[in-house]
Amino acid sequence: MEAKKGKNQPKRPATGAKKGTTGVMTSLTVCGASKAIIDKARASGISTVFDRAARMKPCPIGVAGLCCKHCAMGPCRVAPELPDGAPTQAGLCGATADTIAARNFARMVAAGAAAHADHARNVAEVFLHAVRGSITDYGVKDVQKLLQLGIDFGLDVERMGIRDIAIAVGERSLEEFGKQAGELVLCKRAPLKRQEIWRAQGLMPRGIDREIVELMHRTHMGVDQDYENLIRQAGRAALADGWGGSMLATELQDVLFGTPVPIVGRINLGVLKKEYVNIIVHGHDPLLSEMIVAASQDQELIAAAKTRGAQGINLAGMCCTASEILLRHGIPVAGNFLQQELAIITGAVDAMVIDVQCEMQSLQQVASCFHTRLITTSPKAKIRGARHIAFNEHNPMDDAREIVSAAIEAFSQRLGTPTIPEATQPMVVGFSCETIAYVLGGAFRASFKPLNDNIIGGRIRGIAGVVGCNNARTTHDAGHLELIKELLKNDVLVLTTGCSAMACGKAGLLSPDTGLTVCGQGLAEVCEAIGIPPVLHMGSCVDNSRILMAASAMVKEGGLGDDIAELPVAGAAPEWMSEKALAIGHYFVASGVYTVFGVTFPTSGSTIVTDHLFGELEHQWGARWDFAHDPHEMAQKMIAHIDKKRKALGIDKARERVLFDMTMRREMD
Ligand code: NFS
Ligand code: SF4
């Protein structure tokens, strides 16, 4: 066992005054545009998440994972372990701190996996309607990917027509949710050795819903009271997310809307335009936003906007919905999670349209201070006071037009001149796995071989997946940027998604010009030769499944071991906040990726559970969790892990040579 009991305990998270990622008082955000609007909000007396975070301190027992309210005898708050290791009191039912911490962790994973799974189910249902012809606004855009899915599902694609393949893929995809036995089909995309580990460890998911429901059952009062058993089932539910719900969402969305290819976009609050009708689509579901993209380009609606005095219609995205339409259409991005209220406070947003997930209830309060229409669209996600325009997948264009019309109407009711910060950054995005293979190897020999070769040769030290949210308990964007710059400096190529990708975009790291200036020489040379930025934006959070596919492709390419756990790769979510992020972290670990989280760790009150996650799992699953407050410490941990894997593969010598060459070159200079 690598970890000794008690040694890996994360430091207690900051619970008091606003702390930066380095633990000292710092600013609320490193994003200048956000800062300007926070100042405006304060001057106007509008409450934002930043102010509420300063006012409301997290409960020290809850933050340690030690508050249980799973039955009406509680809530039972078990004090964090005493420094001398003396046992703490248990809950009324006798549940120990370890059980309570593991149960809370597991419930978060279940909720996160459920969010991704339910998103995927919706996509699969619409996919099936579309390919059967009962919805005509969507169709198959990527036939190649459809065929690959057909092969994955065991269809005889050579003898079947495209429509039949598409219908069978839709039906089989939906069956994955309710399957009771066997193995999830896309798990076989993982390296064989990984699949063997899953079978041996009881981690192989049977059906997506089954694993989540079983986890909810096992975390009910008086059921599973063995922390190790709980963490294992949380692993199985997490894998049902990564290789099930999330991967199906990514793949079916690619078939319906197109697999992303490199495209230029812009990001930050400055993408809003004073003279235009501004519509922000916020949330996670591309089904609606794809239609709003089309409606916003409708000549009739543009003419209607002009009759109200606008110059046209300007669409922008927020959170993961933004990534979906950015990667496929180049639609600009207004910002990431902590900028949602700020966008409205510019006074320039005529309508904010939301679907599901990561939408703060406070948006309605903020919108009510302006002319902004807050429009909910999903029957699963309503907000009191917001206007609800139910999105009907069978007639999506009509709903999209109604939403755009509501925004046009609001434009003429603007209150004064908007305050739009000038900041925007250009970026190159759209790095699906297929695109990475293509840019590396070219159209006829698309492959990961050049990447593996550069890793083996030492120019690229390793790969990091840096993903996840913003969290108002730490300086907005700072954790992502400090971590990623440190990794780049050390020749680690970064794959990113979600709100982390947006932090990178705003800081210029997604542009080859500015991104390369912060890289080590080896990484800069490779990126320059291929013409890619050193940080590759792979999409939304369900698209973390692309990182799993990239890791599998690297293993299959050869030369870097037989399992994802042998690769010189690491994962991180330095500013995580959502349960989805925890599910992602847990499926990264269960897939063999060493993963470090920042801000806070949800089992920190139990040394035993934390040591299990941070130590024992490495021996059982081949990878483990870790935690670091400070992004520089996080980077060092990830680099140390990458170097450890390089050594095990016997490729550490090549890297030493490269460094020696650089030193020699500098001396010659
Ligand atoms: Ni991901 Fe996307 Fe952002 Fe976090 Fe929320 S938007 S699904 S959960 S906050 S990265
Ligand atoms: Fe308390 Fe046990 Fe009930 Fe949890 S399940 S609230 S620990 S009595």
Side-chain angles (χ1 to χ4, degrees), residues 116 284 319-320 337 357-358 468-470 498-499 541 577-578 580:
H116 288 147
H284 287 76
C319 287
C320 285
F337 176 70
Q357 303 172 14
C358 301
C469 326
N470 297 138
C499 292
C541 283
M577 65 87 202
S578 92
K580 292 177 288 174

Side-chain angles (χ1 to χ4, degrees), residues 42-204:
R42 286 183 170 170
S44 323
I46 300 171
S47 162
T48 68
V49 60
F50 296 95
D51 299 319
R52 293 188 294 274
R55 267 202 317 275
M56 187 192 289
K57 294 179 181 174
C59 160
I61 295 177
V63 92
L66 297 182
C67 174
C68 179
K69 51 183 179 61
H70 290 200
C71 88
M73 296 195 288
C76 296
R77 291 166 301 136
V78 179
E81 243 155 41
L82 302 169
D84 62 2
T88 54
Q89 87 272 22
L92 261 65
C93 65
T96 61
D98 310 327
T99 296
I100 292 171
R103 232 167 21 193
N104 286 333
F105 177 94
R107 279 240 164 144
M108 290 180 82
V109 169
H116 288 147
D118 211 36
H119 168 165
R121 185 194 334 270
N122 204 22
V123 174
E125 283 173 345
V126 170
F127 178 91
L128 199 48
H129 281 300
V131 298
R132 281 182 176 149
S134 51
I135 296 180
T136 51
D137 287 329
Y138 309 106
V140 170
K141 278 227 178 96
D142 188 340
V143 174
Q144 210 48 45
K145 181 156 278 199
L146 174 67
L147 294 178
Q148 181 53 53
L149 277 171
I151 294 167
D152 287 324
F153 281 113
L155 304 177
D156 187 357
V157 294
E158 288 186 9
R159 288 168 196 268
M160 294 169 73
I162 293 295
R163 183 166 183 269
D164 289 342
I165 295 171
I167 291 172
V169 163
E171 289 171 347
R172 302 279 170 93
S173 297
L174 269 178
E175 282 166 15
E176 292 293 278
F177 294 89
K179 231 163 63 178
Q180 301 303 324
E183 300 180 350
L184 284 186
V185 170
L186 296 183
C187 285
K188 65 174 182 249
R189 288 184 171 184
L192 292 175
K193 191 166 167 189
R194 184 60 15 202
Q195 295 179 43
E196 285 311 320
I197 292 170
W198 290 341
R199 289 183 194 111
Q201 292 292 329
L203 286 170
M204 184 64 93

Side-chain angles (χ1 to χ4, degrees), residues 496-564:
T496 184
T497 59
C499 292
S500 181
M502 295 177 184
C504 294
K506 287 185 280 174
L509 298 176
L510 301 183
S511 139
D513 301 341
T514 42
L516 293 186
T517 58
V518 294
C519 295
Q521 188 171 342
L523 178 64
E525 278 172 12
V526 176
C527 293
E528 214 165 5
I530 304 172
I532 53 171
V535 182
L536 303 180
H537 187 341
M538 299 188 83
S540 64
C541 283
V542 291
D543 293 334
N544 283 313
S545 61
R546 298 192 203 275
I547 297 181
L548 300 178
M549 291 188 262
S552 303
M554 286 169 68
V555 172
K556 283 174 195 159
E557 195 56 61
L560 292 174
D562 300 325
D563 180 22
I564 294 173

